[in-house]
Structure formats: structure tokens, C-alpha cells
Amino acid sequence: MLTLEFIREAHARIAPHVHRTPVMSSRAFNRAAGREVWFKCENFQRAGSFKMRGATNKILALGAGERARGVTAFSSGNHAQAVALAARDAGTRAIIVMPEDAPRSKVAATREYGAEVVFYDRQRDDRERVSRDLAERTGFVLVPPYDDYHVMAGQGTCALELLEEVRDLEAIVTPCGGGGLFAGASTAAQGISAGIRCFGVEPETGDDTRQSFLTGERVTIPPPPTIADGARVQSPGALTFPFVQRNAEDVLTVSDAELVEALKFLLFRLKILVEPTGALGVAAALFNKLPANIRRIGVVISGGNVDADALARLVQ
Amino acid sequence: MLTLEFIREAHARIAPHVHRTPVMSSRAFNRAAGREVWFKCENFQRAGSFKMRGATNKILALGAGERARGVTAFSSGNHAQAVALAARDAGTRAIIVMPEDAPRSKVAATREYGAEVVFYDRQRDDRERVSRDLAERTGFVLVPPYDDYHVMAGQGTCALELLEEVRDLEAIVTPCGGGGLFAGASTAAQGISAGIRCFGVEPETGDDTRQSFLTGERVTIPPPPTIADGARVQSPGALTFPFVQRNAEDVLTVSDAELVEALKFLLFRLKILVEPTGALGVAAALFNKLPANIRRIGVVISGGNVDADALARLVQ
């Protein structure tokens, strides 16, 4: 079960293998946002996102026998690269299942970390089925992208570090895709600081978690067209959603245009590269989506993996 | 005169007004470069470059009467923004002289920091003459971009911080435009660590300092076409050049293509935005321009001011 204690254990386990990422702040940003904001910069994490924390925790928590066989994951995004690198760190093999039309740069990055990539046909095959079959055939352990307590605990370790560094935060804001980061970070934050207010942020067109939060049950939406590719999830996770219900004060949304503005502010003023999904919380702070009485906010910047063509399009 | 003691005084003077910028390193970069490299990240400095250090030191070292009158500078680049912001910090006025065809973003940024911008015609007017006339007419003190001991000392403070944080560096590498950063940083470094080897880096087409270093006298070249706009200087400074002669083991050059590769490595792997000029030292490390027996290198990343259109062109 996901508790502060379980997240602290995760932190002790993964600390030698992940970066303690910097916490940044900017007078210019605070002026623009009208509050004090601290950024936990997981774009500087190994493999470029917070996903490295959860993948590392999951793999290191396996029994020696399981770990020795290898791991598998289905993802064409940051989770793929994280599982590949965490597996290499742990001295084991990884097979990553990706759609045939995955961006070449993502395939290349995953292979660069030493993983084998297996393709499936997005039209013909069921992704989860392909992965499960593979896991059964090979005996490799599946590392889920969010619906797993070890994965959620690993993701939550970034909030431990943030709250250790910045005292008296009144709120913590994270991007919300499948909900693993929100579940872990909000559990860690509220375990340390009982009254802290927690917010997840989604793209406007991908508001499955917001709809679920408002109706009280997991809603499934069509594939969302947002530029925030890490939040193109169609429903919150079965294991993560209860933490959204319990810990979230609200689930906020931002438009793609607001995401681009936030990304550009971070790039040209703070000089850091953040991917659109990574800027969800930043956009919520910049465009004043949070209750007015919150003055001191911690925002998790979840990742920084953007390729050159996408970046050129985004900034112009 | 420029000495370690004078640079330490500058550091004490400016410390409350400038960022102590982070020192970063990257396993991926070290693997690519084949050495251990530490980056002093002045792209995170206030106003986006190391120029803030020199401008602040110069303005704060003025007598109260002089300072109260105001300051002036001629620059369309980072020096303009730095003088504008440092003047505002010091509660005085700044007039910045810029060519009529200066990029709008630079003009806007300088005005945003509270400076008045005066234009001159690049074809008709002599820039230095315009500035000197202005200084005489208004009584405003001219803040030179590099040929001034207080400016050079301010720039050198970044090397103090770098050497405090990373022990046993064998070499320090800086971009070289007018030479103020190299003069200050090399004087600080060799004052602290007598045997440290110092290298300036220029763009291939803007090798005025290299030519001067090799011939032993200040050479003037035609306006260089390089993308490293901060190093489009036609000759080293009268005051800075003696420090190049005394402190430099060599003056290196990199091509514009190498600069772009270095900029992209920093952006997409380290997730930090660096302007072409700022990447001169990084490119020298990445493309193996330094003697093979140097293992531990400190590289000053001098700035991160790039506008959106320029960035889009550079990364594609």
C-alpha cells in the first residue's frame, strides 16, 4: 500500500541511482504568476523525466530471481526510456513494446539505453495483450507505467525532496496523466505536512481525471489530441484514482496554448527545456488556475524530452 | 589593476545582487567528450549572462555622486541588458545606445529593465562617438563592455565560484569575445591555483584574439559572420589583451557547425538553453580541441539569451 513510510523506503532504495534534481525559482516567474513558486526540476532527472524514479524502485524491489530474468514495459514515451535505463543500471534486460509508428528518436533513445524494442501494430494488435503475452512467454516482469504501488512510491520521492528543501509550502501541483506522479507526490506531501493542498493538472482536451474526480467514478474519454503527449491517457488508473479522490483538492486543466506559453517562459526566461506535459503544473500557476489564497506553491516539472522538430514548431 | 584580491573585492560587492549560478555536469557529456567537464552556468545568471557581474561591479564601485547621475553603454546584446538591470538595482538611470536595426527582442528586453534606448545609424554614425558624446552631454558614466578593470574583475567572479565548488580542476575554458571574461576568469583561476591551464575559445571566422595571441600584437579583422553574436568582436581589448598573452596557454577556435552541435547537446540532453556564444567553451570540450592530457575541465557557459526564431533555425 502507498504510504509515506513506503515512499521513504523507495527513496532510500533509489537514491544512489537517480539524480536529486534541483529546485529552481525565478523572480520573473513569481512576478508573472503573482505568487511564490518553486519548481522541482525532473526534466533534469536521468532519462529526462520523473519516470526514472518509479522504474528504478520497481526493478530494485523485485526479488533477485525475478530481476535476473528481465523486465518489460509498453510505452513509446518517457516510461520506455526510464525502464530501459533502470534495467541497465540493475544489470538486467529490458524489452520495450512500442507502436510501429513511434517517433524514431524515442526508439533510438530507448535502444541507446540498451533495451530491445518490439513493435506492435496500433490498428491490429492490443498493446496490453502483446505485453502480457510477451511477459508470459519470456518470464520478464511487466513494469506498469502507473498502476503499481512501487511505481507510485518511486514517483512520490520527488515530493519528499521538494518538501525537504522548501519549507511551508501551502500547495503542491503536479501534471496528471495516469495519476502515478500525483498519487505518490500527494501522499508524500500530505504525510509530511498534513494540511498541504494538492492539485493535479491535465490538458483541457484530456480531462479524464477531472471528469472522474467530479463524478466519483473512473471515466473513459476518446484519445485526446493535446500536445501534452504524456497526458494522452483515456482514464485514470484503477490504483491511482483512489488517491486522486482522497488527496486532491481539485483537478485543474490548461489549454495547449497555455502550455506553449509556459514552455516558452521556462525556455527563454529560466533557460530550461521542459516538454509540454512537463509544463502542465507551471501553466496552471502562470495562468492563475489555483485558488487565490495560496501564496507558496511547489510545482513538479515532470520531464524535458522534446525532439528538435517538435521544439521548433512549439516556439514559433 | 586586475588581481585575485581585486576580484575577491568585486565578489563581495556584487554577491547580494547576482545569482550564484549552479555548476552542472553530465555523464552523457563526459562520455562524449572523453573527459570530466564541469559547467559554470551563467546562462542562469540574472539578465541571462555573465555580463551582469561586470556591470554590477562597475556601477557599485562608482562614487555616490557619479552613480546618482546615471550610466550609459553601447551594446545591442547581453551587455545592454546587464547594464540596464544593474542600473535599476542600484537605483540609477541607464541610457543604452543601440543600432537602429537591433533585434526588437533585445530592445524590448533592455527597456523592460527600465533603461532608455537611444538609436544610432550603423552606416552614418560612429557608435563609440555617439556614446562618448552622450556621456559628455549628460554626465552619465560609460560602462565599457570589457576594457575596464572593474568590469573584468566582475566577470572573473564566476571563476571564483567555480573553483570553490570543484577542486583540482586542471584547466578552465571560457568564450572569448572582447576578452573581459577570459581576463577576469583566468586571473582568478591562476591566483587560486597557480598551475591551472587557461584557454579562450573563439569562433573560427572571428579569430582576432587567436591571431593576436600568435603574433603578439592586437590584430583587427573584418566583421566576422559567425552565429556567435557575442564574439563578433574585431580585435581584443587594449586592457584585456595583456591578460590573454600572460594567462592563456592557447586560444582555440570552433566552427559554427560545432557550436550548433554543442548547443543542441546542452538543450536536448542537459535540458538547458545556451546561446551560440555561450557554447564556445562547450564545443571546444566536445570536439576535442584541448590537449589530450587534461582530464578535469571547468567550462564557463557565458549566456543563454536566444530568441525564438533564432532557436528554431538553430535546432532544425
Side-chain angles (χ1 to χ4, degrees):
Chain A
M1 188 45 187
L2 187 64
T3 60
L4 176 60
E5 190 47 40
F6 194 66
I7 298 169
R8 287 201 198 280
E9 284 168 26
H11 197 240
R13 190 179 289 123
I14 70 175
H17 304 279
V18 303
H19 289 321
R20 188 182 176 106
T21 54
V23 175
M24 297 184 86
S25 63
S26 150
R27 304 185 206 195
F29 188 91
N30 290 352
R31 254 196 316 273
R35 333 195 192 211
E36 286 185 276
V37 183
W38 284 265
F39 302 113
K40 177 64 173 168
C41 293
E42 290 294 302
N43 54 326
F44 293 136
Q45 188 50 267
R46 297 183 65 207
S49 84
F50 75 98
K51 293 280 190 183
M52 187 62 189
R53 295 176 182 267
T56 300
N57 191 45
K58 177 69 180 177
I59 292 172
L60 293 182
L62 294 174
E66 278 183 313
R67 192 163 65 232
R69 283 201 293 275
V71 295
T72 178
F74 49 90
S75 167
S76 57
N78 290 335
H79 183 58
Q81 294 173 56
V83 172
L85 183 56
R88 190 176 74 183
D89 282 353
T92 192
R93 290 175 59 202
I95 303 179
I96 309 294
V97 179
M98 288 192 181
E100 278 174 355
D101 57 353
R104 279 164 182 282
S105 61
K106 304 274 184 184
V107 177
T110 305
R111 285 184 172 146
E112 215 175 287
Y113 290 134
E116 182 182 334
V117 177
V118 167
F119 294 102
Y120 72 95
D121 183 323
R122 211 194 274 269
Q123 312 306 323
R124 213 183 48 206
D125 307 325
D126 173 34
R127 178 180 76 167
E128 301 202 21
R129 177 68 153 292
V130 172
S131 300
R132 296 242 159 72
D133 286 355
L134 186 77
E136 273 174 33
R137 209 171 60 240
T138 57
F140 281 29
V141 180
L142 182 68
V143 181
Y146 44 85
D147 245 352
D148 178 288
Y149 291 126
H150 280 105
V151 171
M152 288 150 72
Q155 318 306 29
T157 59
C158 67
L160 286 187
E161 295 174 4
L162 173 57
L163 269 73
E164 219 172 271
E165 226 152 297
V166 190
R167 304 283 169 178
D168 304 323
L169 285 177
E170 296 164 47
I172 190 157
V173 180
T174 79
C176 190
L181 175 61
F182 178 83
S186 62
T187 300
Q190 295 187 343
I192 291 169
S193 170
I196 199 165
R197 300 162 71 175
C198 298
F199 299 86
V201 186
E202 289 181 308
E204 258 174 22
T205 58
D207 65 343
D208 52 296
T209 301
R210 177 172 175 76
Q211 288 188 36
S212 304
F213 177 74
L214 294 177
T215 59
E217 53 189 37
R218 292 167 61 215
V219 171
T220 300
I221 61 168
T226 173
I227 57 169
D229 53 350
R232 280 186 207 139
V233 172
Q234 293 176 249
S235 70
L239 298 186
T240 59
F241 182 56
F243 292 93
V244 176
Q245 291 186 288
R246 185 187 313 159
N247 299 346
E249 174 171 324
D250 202 357
V251 179
L252 311 169
T253 63
V254 298
S255 69
D256 277 11
E258 289 168 335
L259 276 183
V260 171
E261 283 311 302
L263 182 154
K264 286 168 75 172
F265 198 109
L266 294 168
L267 186 59
F268 294 115
R269 304 293 292 266
L270 275 75
K271 319 297 181 189
I272 65 173
L273 180 62
V274 175
E275 62 186 272
T277 311
L280 280 162
V282 182
L286 188 58
F287 292 100
N288 218 13
K289 311 278 179 170
L290 291 142
N293 64 351
I294 304 178
R295 309 309 309 161
R296 294 167 59 85
I297 306 174
V299 172
V300 179
I301 289 177
S302 57
N305 292 328
V306 193
D307 66 26
D309 290 342
L311 182 67
R313 276 194 308 274
L314 287 166
V315 302
Q316 273 187 315
Chain B
M1 189 44 187
L2 186 65
T3 61
L4 175 60
E5 190 47 41
F6 195 67
I7 298 169
R8 287 201 197 279
E9 284 169 24
H11 196 241
R13 190 179 289 125
I14 70 174
H17 304 280
V18 303
H19 290 321
R20 187 181 176 106
T21 53
V23 175
M24 297 182 86
S25 62
S26 150
R27 304 185 204 192
F29 188 91
N30 289 352
R31 253 195 317 272
R35 334 193 191 213
E36 285 185 279
V37 183
W38 285 265
F39 301 112
K40 177 65 172 169
C41 293
E42 290 294 302
N43 55 326
F44 293 136
Q45 189 49 266
R46 296 184 65 207
S49 84
F50 75 98
K51 292 280 189 182
M52 186 64 188
R53 295 176 182 267
T56 300
N57 191 45
K58 177 68 180 178
I59 292 172
L60 293 182
L62 294 174
E66 278 182 314
R67 190 163 68 231
R69 282 203 294 275
V71 296
T72 180
F74 47 90
S75 167
S76 57
N78 291 335
H79 183 57
Q81 296 175 55
V83 171
L85 183 56
R88 191 177 75 182
D89 282 352
T92 192
R93 290 176 57 202
I95 302 178
I96 309 294
V97 180
M98 287 192 181
E100 278 172 353
D101 57 353
R104 279 164 183 282
S105 60
K106 304 274 184 184
V107 176
T110 305
R111 285 183 172 146
E112 216 176 286
Y113 290 134
E116 183 182 334
V117 177
V118 167
F119 294 102
Y120 72 94
D121 182 324
R122 211 195 275 270
Q123 311 307 322
R124 212 185 49 208
D125 307 324
D126 173 35
R127 177 179 77 165
E128 300 201 21
R129 176 67 154 290
V130 172
S131 300
R132 297 242 158 71
D133 286 355
L134 185 78
E136 273 175 32
R137 209 171 61 240
T138 57
F140 281 28
V141 180
L142 182 70
V143 181
Y146 44 85
D147 246 352
D148 178 287
Y149 291 125
H150 280 105
V151 170
M152 289 149 72
Q155 320 304 31
T157 60
C158 65
L160 285 187
E161 296 174 4
L162 174 57
L163 270 73
E164 220 171 89
E165 227 153 295
V166 190
R167 304 283 168 178
D168 305 323
L169 286 177
E170 296 164 48
I172 190 158
V173 180
T174 79
C176 190
L181 175 61
F182 178 83
S186 62
T187 300
Q190 295 186 343
I192 291 169
S193 171
I196 199 166
R197 300 161 73 174
C198 298
F199 300 85
V201 185
E202 290 182 307
E204 260 175 13
T205 58
D207 66 341
D208 52 297
T209 300
R210 177 172 176 77
Q211 288 188 36
S212 304
F213 176 74
L214 294 177
T215 59
E217 53 188 37
R218 291 167 61 218
V219 170
T220 299
I221 62 169
T226 172
I227 57 170
D229 54 348
R232 279 185 207 139
V233 172
Q234 293 177 249
S235 70
L239 299 186
T240 59
F241 182 57
F243 292 92
V244 176
Q245 292 186 287
R246 186 188 313 160
N247 299 344
E249 175 170 324
D250 201 356
V251 178
L252 311 169
T253 63
V254 296
S255 69
D256 278 10
E258 288 168 336
L259 277 182
V260 171
E261 284 309 304
L263 182 154
K264 287 168 75 172
F265 199 108
L266 294 168
L267 185 60
F268 295 114
R269 304 293 293 264
L270 276 74
K271 319 296 182 189
I272 66 172
L273 180 62
V274 174
E275 62 188 270
T277 312
L280 279 162
V282 182
L286 188 57
F287 292 99
N288 219 12
K289 310 279 179 169
L290 292 142
N293 63 351
I294 304 178
R295 308 309 309 162
R296 294 167 58 84
I297 305 175
V299 172
V300 179
I301 288 178
S302 56
N305 293 328
V306 194
D307 65 27
D309 290 341
L311 183 65
R313 276 194 307 275
L314 287 166
V315 301
Q316 276 187 313

